Each structure stands twice: as structure tokens, then as C-alpha cells.
Amino acid sequence: METNLVLDSTTYKRSTLGFMWNMLRNPLDALTELAHEQGDIARVKLRRRDLFLLNHPEFIEQVLVKQQDNFIKGPSLQRARIILGEGLLTSEGGEHLAQRRALQPAFHHQRMEEYLPVMNENTFAQISKWQDGARVDISDEMMRLMLNIALWSFFGSAPAGTTERVSESVSALMKLFPLAQLPLPDSTRRLFPKFKQAGADLRRVTESLLQDQQSGESQRALIHILKENNNGQFTDEQIHAHILTFLLAGHETTALLLTWCWDMLAHHSLAQVKLQDEVDRVVGNRFPTAEDIQNLPYARMIVKETLRMRPPAWTIGRQAVHDCEIGGQHIPAGSTVLVSQWVTHHDTRFYDAPHQFRPERWDILEKHSPPRYAFFPFGGGGRICIGEHFAMTEAIAVLAVISRRWDFSPTQDALAKPHPSITLRPDKNVKLIATRRDV
Ligand code: HEM
């Protein structure tokens, strides 16, 4: 492990200005360069507190798992409370633990059998509208599909117009998010009309979802848990925060993952054919069952390779509560600590030719197990993504249902460029030519 622990003040100043400038220009390159320059523990002196970027799996594990009690969410997620409220993503400590325990049953492995028909049927309905040989906006299609699947899976319905309203609010939020990052007191931000507007729109969406559920007979696990805990463990505000969190966290990331998967496959025709062969053999014209999902190793490798190269969550930020030490480096209380999936997933110490799409590498990697935290698309420790199994099942099911019926080719030579917003999005919507398969 390389570390560069001793930096004099001139180096600090130079590296700070350079780093800030690079972060504004291109955060992915900025973090990669910082890691190359300073090694496994990089340090940048900021005005109020230091920032550390940890680039070795052992150190990543220290932050996410071994010393997790000493770290709270980073400043940007703390500020996201203004939009998301005190839900699972934003709460801390005992409050977070209680929420996690209450909500976990909706995401157990066994539950996936319940969600799978929703995933299959929604996917089939959506692709049935495509025209043979037409150009498909795969970014929009995946976003709408994942939102519908989330609505039906978690709430048992998608009241008329909800998909459109949530989509609009999410787009508005994505534009507002940089504003939410400014270090201003929450009270001033609430006065910004656009914040008020986005907040009110989302509140109306969660209210109508809740009302719809109260009058309906939905047995969906998540809404059931929320309703049962109403007037008990969860306050009204928390219930709205949970609905919002699951709507947002539960569709945007998986939509991006699948958009990146299709872009990769359209540009790597051998991988696409290999996937189609596997799906034809294992699933054929049926819809995939929970057992099939376990028997599609190539599809799983495609998903993992895409999560490696285009991790929808490209960085995780934390703030140290007390002074601590990681890899011999003293980390003062209040420091911001970053770990970056983008940087680590492209590290040549763990991945040969990291910028090449090679799903087969996972066959070898699984036998020679690389360090656990060389691959952490869903984070780790007590804050690991609660939707991990849901997302993996959904991605493999959607790949299977679509690749049995459609073949994609690119509309431009190069892959879409990654654009790091809250999540890792393509810089422009991905558009592909869809050709109906003759099966
Ligand atoms: C490809 C898809 C997904 C990716 C890459 C992803 C990634 C992540 C990551 C990295 C974290 C940890 C953040 C941190 O430690 O600060 C996280 C947390 C979370 N994710 Fe996901 N996620 C995905 C899908 C989902 C889905 C489908 C859901 C909902 C069904 C979901 C709900 C959540 C929630 C509620 C948390 C907060 C968990 C907690 O703090 O206890 N995610 N996700």
C-alpha cells in the first residue's frame, strides 16, 4: 500500500487549488488524479476541514465497516435532508438502526419471488410498444420502466399520472441538487421558490400514494410495514420520507445501471450474442423465475462488469465524528472522508485493462477473490444498500426478458460519456436501434 502522509503547507495549497479546480471541471478525473498523485490515502486541505480520499480496499473497509460507528453521512447527504426528510438514507445512529430493522423484511431474499412477476410483466408490457428497427431512447425507457416497477413492487399500484409526476419532480430535483450543496442555512434554502415547489410536488405524490393505499387492499410488504407502524414507530413525516426515499433511491440507480448495460451490449456484439444464447437456453419464451435468475451466470457477469465500469453510486462521503487513525494516518474529527467506486473499480492493481468491458473477467475474479472492498457498488457495513438484492434481481430479469426479444445496435460509434451528478448518468440520453429477434 502506498501512502503519502507528509505534505508541507505549500504542497497543500497547490494541491488544494488544483484539486478544487479539477473537481469543478471533472470530478471523476479529479479523484483519479488525486489517487495517482498521493497514493492510497490522499489528503486535501480545505478551508474548514481536511478531506481524505481513501483508495485501498482495506481502508475503505475501515470507513464503511470496521470503524463505521465513528462516521456519519457526509455533508451533501446531510443537506439532502431538506428534500428527503429523515428517511433511511439520511437518518443516523439509533434512529437509523430502528428504521432499518423495521424496513428490512420488505427486502429479504425470499421476497424477490414476490417482486419478480411485477418486474417481468412491466418489462414485457413496455417493450411490446417498440417498433422493429426504430430508434429507442433507452435512457427514458429504463427510467419509466424502473419507476413503474418500484411503484408496483413497493406500493402495489401506480395511480394515474404518478409516473409522470415523479419523473418531473426527480428531474427538477436533479437540477436543484447543486443548490442544495451550497453551505447555506436550511432556512434560507426553504425560501427559494423552486425548492418550495419541488418539495410541495413531492409531498402531493407521497400523499396520494398513501391515500390510495389506505383505501386499497395492497398487501405489498413495504407499504404494509409503513401502515402498520403508523401512529406507532413512524411519524407521518417519517412515512412520507420513507415513501420518497424508496421512490427515488429505488428507481434512478437501477435505471442508470440498465441504461449503461444496454449501451455496453450494443457496442460489444459478442457479449450481446452470448447473453442471448444463455437466455434462450435457460429461459426461452417463459418469464424468468427466481431459480432462473440464479442460473444466468453470464447475465450476472454483465451486470457486475457494468457496475464496475459505470457505478451509479460513484462516490460515498462520510464525516469523522472523533479523531481516528486509518492506515497510520491521523484523521481529525470533522474531516470529510471519501471512498470512490469510480476510482477503486478502475484500479489496475485489481483489474486488468480496467477501461475495457470484459464480463468474463468475473469468472476469473470469483475464483481468485480480489479484496472484498475492491468492488463495492452497493457500499458496505450497516449502511449497505437495502435494495441490493432487489436491484440485482431486477437487472438480471430485465436483461433476460428484453434480450430474448430484442437486439440492440448503437446509433453512435462511442459509448456514452459518464457525467457525475448525484449519480453517474450518461452525458446525453442513450439512443439505440432495436431490432426484433427472430425467435
Ligand atoms: C444499481 C442499483 C443501486 C445502487 C448502485 C445503489 C447504491 C447504493 C449505495 C452505494 C448505498 C450506500 C450509500 C452510503 O453508504 O452512503 C445505498 C443505500 C441505499 N439504497 Fe441503494 N442502490 C441501488 C438500488 C437501490 C434500490 C433498488 C433501492 C430501493 C429499493 C435502494 C435503496 C437504498 C436505501 C434506502 C439506502 C440507504 C440504506 C441505509 O442507509 O440503511 N437502492 N445504495
Side-chain angles (χ1 to χ4, degrees), residues 73 88-89 96 100 107 154 249-250 253 318 377-379 383 385:
K73 294 264 173 168
L88 199 57
L89 258 174
H96 169 259
R100 179 97 191 193
F107 294 93
F154 304 142
T253 42
R318 292 284 190 268
F378 296 99
R383 307 299 307 230
C385 176

Side-chain angles (χ1 to χ4, degrees), residues 80 95 153 186 190-191 220-221 313 344 353 387 393 397 431:
E95 176 61 49
S153 301
D186 286 356
R190 281 208 183 88
L191 298 175
R220 290 289 172 207
T344 310
T393 306
K431 294 178 185 161

Side-chain angles (χ1 to χ4, degrees), residues 410-425:
T411 53
Q412 53 182 41
D413 291 344
L415 287 166
K417 286 203 185 75
H419 171 75
S421 165
I422 313 173
T423 43
L424 194 66
R425 315 182 118 220

Side-chain angles (χ1 to χ4, degrees), residues 4-50:
N4 182 356
L5 304 181
V6 188
L7 285 177
D8 61 36
S9 61
T10 328
T11 320
Y12 264 152
K13 275 188 198 136
R14 212 179 38 235
S15 70
T16 302
L17 282 177
F19 174 73
M20 298 300 277
W21 171 244
N22 287 346
M23 278 302 272
L24 285 175
R25 247 179 353 125
N26 184 338
L28 300 178
D29 287 353
L31 294 179
T32 307
E33 274 165 32
L34 189 66
H36 282 164
E37 274 168 21
Q38 295 198 29
D40 286 334
I41 302 182
R43 181 176 189 172
V44 179
K45 198 145 189 73
L46 300 180
R47 204 160 59 86
R48 290 214 195 127
R49 53 173 79 104
D50 284 1

Side-chain angles (χ1 to χ4, degrees), residues 64 73 77 88-89 96 100 107 154 245-246 249-250 253-254 257 307 312-313 316-318 341 376-379 382-387 390-391 394:
L64 297 182
K73 294 264 173 168
L77 254 178
L88 199 57
L89 258 174
H96 169 259
R100 179 97 191 193
F107 294 93
F154 304 142
T245 301
F246 284 104
T253 42
T254 43
L257 165 62
L307 283 168
I316 296 179
R318 292 284 190 268
Q341 289 92 336
F376 59 109
F378 296 99
R383 307 299 307 230
I384 196 167
C385 176
I386 198 170
F390 184 93
E394 187 178 37

Side-chain angles (χ1 to χ4, degrees), residues 175-225:
K175 284 188 199 123
L176 287 175
F177 196 74
L179 206 58
Q181 301 308 296
L182 296 176
L184 300 170
D186 286 356
S187 52
T188 48
R189 261 196 311 268
R190 281 208 183 88
L191 298 175
F192 294 172
K194 282 195 172 167
F195 261 106
K196 266 174 111 176
Q197 175 74 35
D201 286 351
L202 283 166
R203 181 72 188 205
R204 274 194 291 277
V205 171
T206 60
E207 256 156 24
S208 82
L209 270 173
L210 206 56
Q211 249 165 29
D212 215 62
Q213 298 303 322
Q214 253 135 19
S215 52
E217 289 302 305
S218 172
Q219 287 306 306
R220 290 289 172 207
L222 184 63
I223 198 73
H224 208 66
I225 292 169

